Amino acid sequence: MTDETLWHKLDDIIFGIYQAENIRDLRLFFLNEMVRIIPHDISFFDLKGRRKGKEIFFDPVTLTIDKGTLGRYYSDYIEKDYTSWATSQMEDIVVYRDSDFISDDARQRSVLYREWLQPMGIVYGCGINVFSHGIGFGTVAFGRSRNAGDFTDDELEILSIVARHLSERFYQLHPTGVSYAAQPDQHQSFEDTFNLTPREREICAMVCDGLLPAQIGAELTITVNTVNRHIANIYKKTGVDSRSALLRKVLHSLGRNTLFE
């Protein structure tokens, strides 16, 4: 890509950022356009806010990761993500590269890498902390394979240029910050997050209500073997291996620790 072509593409992206009328369209546009100038294999863009006095990341959008895999990141791995901790300490717009603050050896030993990144073939990462006028709005993460190589200084400079405009547009749309409660998408159900089929949704609810496979089979007029097959699929999609773990994950998706909260 020549310098002139790059600047034309950057100009188009910056123009498009300011044309977006809501933050969902803005995030999807940004992810789609960044493929043109920063090659990568996966990317996602979440929002940042506060809930019950605690900072949270929510309502992620992606064009490259299936719902189940992305859902597992937020339910199982975000608190183990070294980049989440680093970006939470940032007080300005910051473009970061994972390899700048964690060694390759330490990264490969991390749970996040071994259980979430490596199965997707992702080795290198970088991202943006979207921040303007003292307000944090969200984060963008990019990842790519070992064969593609780490993100370069030139690529980080390009991200820095677009990040300033991205953050400013967020501020224009939400000058007091993004409200968790106001986001229509953040109430996406547990079933949608893990892409459960209609039958799996029924059975998942019954399992969480404490019904045994024989009781579920009688209720739905299907065999116990069929029930167990559906339960196995639910466990696989949600990344759990027991009824209690499934219930904990459902409660986590609702922002609760117990049934009676």
Side-chain angles (χ1 to χ4, degrees):
M1 185 186 305
T2 66
D3 288 345
E4 183 176 0
T5 301
L6 172 60
W7 285 108
H8 279 307
K9 289 184 176 181
L10 279 174
D11 189 56
D12 289 343
I13 292 170
I14 292 168
F15 177 78
I17 285 172
Y18 289 104
Q19 298 307 300
E21 297 183 353
N22 60 73
I23 56 177
R24 184 173 181 82
D25 289 348
L26 172 56
R27 290 182 292 153
L28 290 172
F29 167 81
F30 184 74
L31 292 180
N32 186 61
E33 292 300 308
M34 290 312 297
V35 177
R36 300 168 57 194
I37 56 175
I38 308 289
H40 58 272
D41 298 299
I42 66 166
S43 61
F44 57 99
F45 195 152
D46 60 26
L47 299 176
K48 185 187 213 177
R50 299 194 73 81
R51 179 170 164 226
K52 297 181 179 179
K54 181 181 178 181
E55 184 176 81
I56 58 168
F57 297 90
F58 61 96
D59 189 31
V61 297
T62 183
L63 301 173
T64 55
I65 308 173
D66 69 81
K67 287 183 179 180
T69 299
L70 188 58
R72 283 193 293 276
Y73 170 76
Y74 286 90
S75 64
D76 297 346
Y77 299 110
I78 190 167
E79 294 181 358
K80 302 177 179 71
D81 187 348
Y82 38 82
T83 63
S84 292
W85 178 87
T87 56
S88 71
Q89 310 304 307
M90 298 173 180
E91 298 181 350
D92 203 343
I93 303 169
V94 173
V95 170
Y96 64 89
R97 177 171 47 202
D98 296 13
S99 57
D100 287 338
F101 57 82
I102 186 169
S103 69
D104 189 59
D105 183 58
R107 178 182 50 76
Q108 290 188 38
R109 292 198 310 268
S110 70
V111 173
L112 174 70
Y113 176 76
R114 289 185 286 105
E115 297 184 4
W116 197 72
L117 292 171
Q118 190 174 37
M120 292 189 288
I122 301 302
V123 174
Y124 301 109
C126 73
I128 300 170
N129 183 41
V130 184
F131 187 98
S132 183
H133 297 78
I135 301 170
F137 294 99
T139 60
V140 193
F142 301 95
R144 62 190 185 197
S145 67
R146 184 175 298 280
N147 288 340
D150 203 354
F151 293 89
T152 67
D153 290 344
D154 287 343
E155 288 172 327
L156 294 187
E157 180 60 30
I158 291 169
L159 285 178
S160 295
I161 293 170
V162 295
R164 289 194 293 271
H165 296 280
L166 181 66
S167 298
E168 182 60 28
R169 184 57 177 156
F170 260 87
Y171 180 74
Q172 291 174 354
L173 293 170
H174 291 270
T176 60
V178 179
S179 169
Y180 174 84
Q183 295 309 306
D185 306 286
Q186 61 93 9
H187 295 296
Q188 179 186 47
S189 71
F190 172 86
E191 295 89 346
D192 286 336
T193 297
F194 292 101
N195 199 28
L196 301 186
T197 67
R199 179 62 91 188
E200 288 168 352
R201 293 170 188 233
E202 285 184 295
I203 292 175
C204 180
M206 291 178 173
V207 168
C208 290
D209 284 341
L211 273 67
L212 298 174
Q215 295 171 306
I216 295 172
E219 180 73 21
L220 299 178
T221 321
I222 57 178
T223 68
V224 173
N225 285 340
T226 300
V227 173
N228 286 332
R229 187 172 68 250
H230 284 303
I231 291 175
N233 287 337
I234 293 167
Y235 286 0
K236 182 177 180 181
K237 287 182 178 182
T238 58
V240 303
D241 58 7
S242 68
R243 178 190 300 263
S244 60
L246 178 64
L247 179 57
R248 284 196 301 272
K249 184 159 286 191
V250 171
L251 291 173
H252 186 281
S253 75
L254 297 174
R256 296 163 55 185
N257 295 316
T258 73
L259 284 170
F260 307 104
E261 186 175 324

